[in-house]
Amino acid sequence: NLTDAMARIVFPIIMADVNYTILAGQYVDNPNSQYWYVRQDIDVNGVSIKASAGTIAAAYWRVSGYAA
């Protein structure tokens, strides 16, 4: 669970650079009161996400780009 805290997503494959696309979503009980966002501290190894309110039980993500 992610509750108003940072979480790091580490990619299983290192990207060639930071010019990749992140598609992500969340599973929540009440989508009107809970959301999260990708932080600016992205790098070739992963990204950080943060919940802004409430608790996020699970999230899914996909990255498209070139591997290193």
Side-chain angles (χ1 to χ4, degrees):
N1 288 352
L2 181 60
T3 305
D4 196 29
M6 291 290 247
R8 183 76 178 159
I9 296 173
V10 178
F11 300 150
I13 299 171
I14 297 172
M15 303 304 289
D17 53 37
V18 295
N19 296 319
Y20 51 80
T21 301
I22 304 166
L23 302 174
Q26 63 184 350
Y27 300 103
V28 295
D29 293 334
N30 182 356
N32 295 322
S33 66
Q34 304 167 2
Y35 63 94
W36 60 279
Y37 57 92
V38 175
R39 298 268 307 174
Q40 294 299 315
D41 54 341
I42 63 173
D43 59 39
V44 297
N45 296 305
V47 298
S48 294
I49 60 172
K50 184 178 189 321
S52 64
T55 300
I56 296 169
Y60 55 91
W61 57 272
R62 178 182 176 150
V63 173
S64 297
Y66 292 101

